[in-house]
Amino acid sequence: MDFLKSAIGSAIAKGGGLPFSLGDKVDIGDSVWSLHNATKRDDGSDCSVFVFHIDANRSRLPLAKNAMHKSRTLRHPGVIKVLDTIENEQYLYIITERLVPLSWPVKRRSLSEETAKWGLYTVASTINFINAHASSVHGVVRASSVFISQSGEWKLGGFDILSSMKEDDAIIYTYGSIVPDAARYTPPEVVKGGWDVIKQNPLAAVDAYGLAILIFEVFNGSFSGGDQVGKTTNIPTSMHQSYKRLCTANPKFRLSPGHFVEQGKKHGGFFQTPLIRMTEDIDKLGLMDEAERENFINELDQLPEEFPEDFFKMRVLPELLKSVEFGGGGPKVLSATLKIGAKLSAEEFNAMMTPVIVRLFGNPDRALRVCLLDNLPLMIDSLPKKTVSDKIFPQMTSGFTDVAPVVREQTVKAVVPIITKLSDRVINGELLKLLARTARDEQPGIRTNTAICLGRIAKNLGAADRAKVLIAAFTRSMKDPFEHARAAGLLAFSATIDIYKDDDCAQRILPAICPLLMDTEKLIRDQANKTFDVYLRRIRKSAATMPDTVIPPSARAEAPSRPEPRAGAAGEHSWAGWAISSFTNKIATASGAIEPTATSAQPADVETARPASAPRPTQPSTSTTTELHKQALRPTAQPLNRSHSDRPPLVPYHDDPEEDADDVFEAWGAMDDDEAEPDPFTATTASPALSSSKAGAVPFDDGGEPDFAGWLAAKSGAAKKPLPKGLSKAASTNTVATRSSVASAKPRAVVVPKKIDTKPKEEPEDDWGDAWD
């Protein structure tokens, strides 16, 4: 039978049939109880279990039963929270919240002064409640009777001899002396007169003495005996006087724990700390008005980093969340909430913060939305990807089109931290459409931030359309009238250079950068030069790896060979070499000849096709092909200010600026021919009629084709033979003469088909470059 009882007791001790599973044993020093970490079976939450083995310590069973009874009946925030108690024939169990003995950090001397004051304030207030309100004496106030909860708060336990002074047979009178290590902590009057002496002294005298020992232990790490009582080593100076009065030898003059708290709470007292004030106010946060709430948050922001994080996570954070969501806490409280939430682990954040944040994004309050977006970098790493993509971003999209510019701007900025949490479908679909809208926003700052945003998320965009989207966006930004938007476009191009192909760099990006090299703002010009140099170096590096030609060898063999360059002529590798070589090749390879006229001594070559605005080349009367090449390459001076007799015949004037501008752009290659020989198609003559004419020169007209028919008619006199097919043209309105007639001694008659207005037009001074503007 005894064996059966032993087996049942062993099974119960191991957790069989109990609502918890026992874990590791926790060292709490010399005590009638053993402490174990445990887990509740119903929900898997953490808890602690005090275990008393009856058979092993039967003499102290009354202490254990008293502690279990008082734990169930005594309720106070500073007292250990009891979840359940179990009693059987072998064991007594007290199931509590998860606890850690205070003796651990005390022995390690790891408590900061602020934390120590905060904890002592809690313990002193709890003892005052036991003495003043419960009319009881704790009797065993020491470090081994205090525990730290998961929230970092100090909780009072050790109720082995806790007794009400209203009871005549209180356990403290009988069993007070059998408490473990009682001799070291017992007050001097009890040592002399026994525990019954407490009836003759103030009720709080015994616990005040124990509180003084606890203060010494907290600041010094240990307590060896009565000779250390009253010493102020390592105890804060502001606490010295009150501390000494707690442990005075005469119990009637001792300062009660209640008065100790009052002195500490006076203005400038040792209990006037931000942490203690916050502890008292946190429970009233929901009832505060706006001014009180703001003062509370300001104090919360001023708390140093060494304050207990567990307290903020377990006690402060839930109250702040309730205030934000239901109590009208607003952005100020939300900022403090997110600051504390940033210290949570991913699991803790997901359990405590994520549901509230999702609901807050659905709140229409703009100030709250801006605060959420502004603090998004602090919490984005802890938010699940699916939650951001499916629940948070859809609610964020309204911010891109909100009427308040600050909401739109913060929404654009928030894209950067959340981009890694969005799916490719969302990024390349809805997000790019929304950013395309903000890129055209009426606010220049929003346009600028959109360009910056695109530059920072460029690598997250889809590879298929990424380059096209970015080039279009940054090019638009570089045309923005706001200088910082232009700078953002340039910087974005510099940051994303690896994304673009070489062809895009040369054909689309560099041409877009060039106008900013002459921007009105030096800031833009400097950045444009830097960006231009970056892309130019890349293009040159890429071009250096390209082959010299992509023409197949067979095609190169069939191409006609070019003549060797002559001394003094432009080389084939110079910028003009290809044009001159092409021109001479055309003359050398021309076949056939124009039939000579009756008055012509030499055959005339057919002129090659040329632009309408190009000057007419001189037609030599006698020259070889070599001489023709030399004349084509020889620059000859053409006077800009000629006399009336030296000027070319009158030509019609077209007053059409747009047509002239187009022609100038088409004829860019003729700009260097201003000093060439007189145009043979409008050459001056020695005709007396023209020399005596009062008609002045008119601006050069490049609006039509040269009058080939008129020129040939003048060469042949009466045009004895019909013109070759393709050269027939109506009679020219210009008065034409050949160079041969100028050299002849006999003047030739000038054919004038009709009379024209020879009144000179106003000639602009050197305005040939205007059309390039």
Side-chain angles (χ1 to χ4, degrees), residues 667-699:
W668 64 272
M671 297 302 298
D672 294 333
D673 293 337
D674 289 343
E675 304 297 331
E677 293 184 358
D679 192 337
F681 303 115
T682 56
T684 57
T685 65
S687 172
L690 287 179
S691 62
S692 61
S693 172
K694 296 182 181 180
V698 296

Short mmCIF file of all heavy atoms in Angstrom, two decimals, residues 667-699:
data_model
loop_
_atom_site.label_atom_id
_atom_site.label_comp_id
_atom_site.label_asym_id
_atom_site.label_seq_id
_atom_site.Cartn_x
_atom_site.Cartn_y
_atom_site.Cartn_z
N ALA A 667 20.67 71.85 -95.22
CA ALA A 667 21.89 72.19 -95.95
C ALA A 667 23.03 72.50 -95.02
O ALA A 667 23.83 73.38 -95.29
CB ALA A 667 21.62 73.38 -96.88
N TRP A 668 23.14 71.82 -93.91
CA TRP A 668 24.18 72.14 -92.93
C TRP A 668 25.57 72.00 -93.52
O TRP A 668 26.51 72.66 -93.08
CB TRP A 668 24.06 71.25 -91.70
CG TRP A 668 24.29 69.79 -91.96
CD1 TRP A 668 23.39 68.88 -92.33
CD2 TRP A 668 25.55 69.11 -91.90
NE1 TRP A 668 23.97 67.67 -92.51
CE2 TRP A 668 25.30 67.78 -92.24
CE3 TRP A 668 26.85 69.52 -91.60
CZ2 TRP A 668 26.30 66.84 -92.29
CZ3 TRP A 668 27.86 68.58 -91.64
CH2 TRP A 668 27.58 67.24 -91.99
N GLY A 669 25.74 71.12 -94.54
CA GLY A 669 27.06 70.90 -95.10
C GLY A 669 27.57 72.06 -95.93
O GLY A 669 28.74 72.13 -96.25
N ALA A 670 26.72 73.03 -96.33
CA ALA A 670 27.16 74.15 -97.16
C ALA A 670 27.55 75.35 -96.35
O ALA A 670 27.89 76.38 -96.91
CB ALA A 670 26.03 74.53 -98.13
N MET A 671 27.55 75.26 -95.04
CA MET A 671 27.84 76.43 -94.23
C MET A 671 29.27 76.88 -94.38
O MET A 671 29.60 78.04 -94.20
CB MET A 671 27.56 76.11 -92.75
CG MET A 671 26.11 75.80 -92.46
SD MET A 671 25.01 77.14 -92.93
CE MET A 671 25.62 78.42 -91.85
N ASP A 672 30.20 75.98 -94.75
CA ASP A 672 31.60 76.33 -94.87
C ASP A 672 31.94 76.86 -96.25
O ASP A 672 33.11 77.13 -96.53
CB ASP A 672 32.48 75.10 -94.58
CG ASP A 672 32.35 74.69 -93.13
OD1 ASP A 672 32.04 75.56 -92.29
OD2 ASP A 672 32.57 73.49 -92.86
N ASP A 673 30.96 77.01 -97.11
CA ASP A 673 31.23 77.43 -98.48
C ASP A 673 31.00 78.91 -98.66
O ASP A 673 30.88 79.37 -99.80
CB ASP A 673 30.35 76.65 -99.47
CG ASP A 673 30.73 75.19 -99.48
OD1 ASP A 673 31.88 74.87 -99.12
OD2 ASP A 673 29.87 74.38 -99.86
N ASP A 674 30.93 79.69 -97.60
CA ASP A 674 30.69 81.12 -97.74
C ASP A 674 31.81 81.80 -98.49
O ASP A 674 31.62 82.83 -99.13
CB ASP A 674 30.52 81.78 -96.37
CG ASP A 674 29.20 81.38 -95.74
OD1 ASP A 674 28.32 80.90 -96.47
OD2 ASP A 674 29.08 81.53 -94.51
N GLU A 675 33.02 81.24 -98.41
CA GLU A 675 34.17 81.85 -99.05
C GLU A 675 34.50 81.20 -100.39
O GLU A 675 35.58 81.38 -100.92
CB GLU A 675 35.39 81.74 -98.10
CG GLU A 675 35.16 82.34 -96.73
CD GLU A 675 34.92 83.83 -96.82
OE1 GLU A 675 35.45 84.46 -97.75
OE2 GLU A 675 34.22 84.35 -95.94
N ALA A 676 33.60 80.38 -100.92
CA ALA A 676 33.87 79.68 -102.17
C ALA A 676 33.77 80.65 -103.36
O ALA A 676 33.40 81.80 -103.21
CB ALA A 676 32.90 78.53 -102.35
N GLU A 677 34.12 80.14 -104.54
CA GLU A 677 34.03 80.94 -105.75
C GLU A 677 32.59 81.31 -106.03
O GLU A 677 31.68 80.66 -105.57
CB GLU A 677 34.61 80.15 -106.92
CG GLU A 677 36.11 79.92 -106.79
CD GLU A 677 36.66 79.21 -107.99
OE1 GLU A 677 35.85 78.88 -108.89
OE2 GLU A 677 37.88 78.99 -108.04
N PRO A 678 32.38 82.38 -106.84
CA PRO A 678 31.00 82.76 -107.17
C PRO A 678 30.24 81.61 -107.80
O PRO A 678 30.78 80.82 -108.55
CB PRO A 678 31.20 83.92 -108.15
CG PRO A 678 32.56 84.46 -107.83
CD PRO A 678 33.38 83.29 -107.42
N ASP A 679 28.97 81.53 -107.42
CA ASP A 679 28.11 80.46 -107.91
C ASP A 679 27.95 80.61 -109.41
O ASP A 679 27.51 81.65 -109.91
CB ASP A 679 26.75 80.59 -107.23
CG ASP A 679 25.92 79.35 -107.47
OD1 ASP A 679 26.18 78.65 -108.46
OD2 ASP A 679 25.00 79.11 -106.66
N PRO A 680 28.30 79.59 -110.20
CA PRO A 680 28.18 79.72 -111.66
C PRO A 680 26.75 79.88 -112.13
O PRO A 680 26.51 80.35 -113.23
CB PRO A 680 28.79 78.41 -112.19
CG PRO A 680 28.65 77.45 -111.05
CD PRO A 680 28.79 78.26 -109.81
N PHE A 681 25.77 79.45 -111.26
CA PHE A 681 24.37 79.54 -111.67
C PHE A 681 23.77 80.89 -111.37
O PHE A 681 22.70 81.20 -111.82
CB PHE A 681 23.55 78.43 -111.01
CG PHE A 681 24.10 77.07 -111.32
CD1 PHE A 681 24.64 76.28 -110.30
CD2 PHE A 681 24.11 76.58 -112.61
CE1 PHE A 681 25.14 75.04 -110.58
CE2 PHE A 681 24.62 75.32 -112.88
CZ PHE A 681 25.15 74.54 -111.87
N THR A 682 24.48 81.75 -110.61
CA THR A 682 24.02 83.12 -110.35
C THR A 682 25.22 84.06 -110.44
O THR A 682 25.34 85.00 -109.66
CB THR A 682 23.38 83.22 -108.97
OG1 THR A 682 24.30 82.76 -107.98
CG2 THR A 682 22.10 82.41 -108.88
N ALA A 683 26.14 83.74 -111.35
CA ALA A 683 27.39 84.50 -111.43
C ALA A 683 27.12 85.92 -111.93
O ALA A 683 26.19 86.19 -112.68
CB ALA A 683 28.37 83.79 -112.38
N THR A 684 28.01 86.83 -111.51
CA THR A 684 27.90 88.23 -111.98
C THR A 684 28.34 88.32 -113.42
O THR A 684 29.15 87.53 -113.92
CB THR A 684 28.79 89.12 -111.12
OG1 THR A 684 30.13 88.64 -111.18
CG2 THR A 684 28.33 89.10 -109.66
N THR A 685 27.85 89.28 -114.15
CA THR A 685 28.19 89.50 -115.56
C THR A 685 28.68 90.90 -115.73
O THR A 685 28.52 91.76 -114.87
CB THR A 685 26.96 89.27 -116.45
OG1 THR A 685 26.00 90.27 -116.14
CG2 THR A 685 26.34 87.91 -116.21
N ALA A 686 29.26 91.12 -116.91
CA ALA A 686 29.76 92.47 -117.26
C ALA A 686 28.76 93.23 -118.07
O ALA A 686 29.11 94.17 -118.77
CB ALA A 686 31.09 92.34 -118.02
N SER A 687 27.51 92.82 -118.03
CA SER A 687 26.49 93.47 -118.84
C SER A 687 26.31 94.91 -118.40
O SER A 687 26.16 95.20 -117.22
CB SER A 687 25.16 92.71 -118.69
OG SER A 687 24.13 93.43 -119.30
N PRO A 688 26.35 95.84 -119.32
CA PRO A 688 26.12 97.25 -118.96
C PRO A 688 24.76 97.45 -118.35
O PRO A 688 24.58 98.29 -117.48
CB PRO A 688 26.24 97.98 -120.31
CG PRO A 688 27.01 97.05 -121.19
CD PRO A 688 26.66 95.67 -120.75
N ALA A 689 23.80 96.65 -118.79
CA ALA A 689 22.45 96.84 -118.25
C ALA A 689 22.44 96.58 -116.76
O ALA A 689 21.81 97.30 -115.99
CB ALA A 689 21.46 95.93 -118.97
N LEU A 690 23.16 95.53 -116.32
CA LEU A 690 23.18 95.21 -114.90
C LEU A 690 24.08 96.14 -114.13
O LEU A 690 23.79 96.51 -113.00
CB LEU A 690 23.63 93.77 -114.69
CG LEU A 690 22.61 92.69 -115.07
CD1 LEU A 690 23.20 91.32 -114.83
CD2 LEU A 690 21.32 92.89 -114.32
N SER A 691 25.21 96.53 -114.76
CA SER A 691 26.13 97.40 -114.04
C SER A 691 25.56 98.77 -113.81
O SER A 691 25.88 99.44 -112.84
CB SER A 691 27.45 97.50 -114.81
OG SER A 691 27.20 98.09 -116.09
N SER A 692 24.70 99.21 -114.73
CA SER A 692 24.09 100.52 -114.56
C SER A 692 22.79 100.46 -113.77
O SER A 692 22.21 101.49 -113.46
CB SER A 692 23.81 101.14 -115.94
OG SER A 692 22.91 100.29 -116.64
N SER A 693 22.35 99.24 -113.47
CA SER A 693 21.09 99.11 -112.75
C SER A 693 21.27 99.58 -111.32
O SER A 693 22.31 99.41 -110.70
CB SER A 693 20.63 97.66 -112.77
OG SER A 693 19.52 97.50 -111.94
N LYS A 694 20.21 100.16 -110.79
CA LYS A 694 20.22 100.61 -109.40
C LYS A 694 19.74 99.51 -108.44
O LYS A 694 19.59 99.74 -107.26
CB LYS A 694 19.31 101.83 -109.24
CG LYS A 694 19.82 103.03 -110.03
CD LYS A 694 18.92 104.21 -109.79
CE LYS A 694 19.41 105.43 -110.59
NZ LYS A 694 18.55 106.62 -110.39
N ALA A 695 19.47 98.35 -108.99
CA ALA A 695 18.97 97.25 -108.12
C ALA A 695 20.06 96.78 -107.19
O ALA A 695 21.20 96.58 -107.61
CB ALA A 695 18.48 96.10 -108.99
N GLY A 696 19.74 96.58 -105.97
CA GLY A 696 20.71 96.09 -104.97
C GLY A 696 20.62 94.59 -104.83
O GLY A 696 19.73 93.95 -105.37
N ALA A 697 21.57 94.04 -104.04
CA ALA A 697 21.59 92.60 -103.79
C ALA A 697 20.47 92.22 -102.82
O ALA A 697 20.06 92.99 -101.98
CB ALA A 697 22.93 92.18 -103.20
N VAL A 698 19.98 91.03 -103.00
CA VAL A 698 18.93 90.50 -102.13
C VAL A 698 19.48 89.30 -101.37
O VAL A 698 20.46 88.69 -101.81
CB VAL A 698 17.68 90.08 -102.94
CG1 VAL A 698 17.07 91.28 -103.61
CG2 VAL A 698 18.05 89.01 -103.97
N PRO A 699 18.90 88.94 -100.27
CA PRO A 699 19.39 87.76 -99.52
C PRO A 699 19.36 86.51 -100.36
O PRO A 699 18.51 86.35 -101.23
CB PRO A 699 18.42 87.66 -98.33
CG PRO A 699 17.88 89.04 -98.18
CD PRO A 699 17.81 89.61 -99.56
#
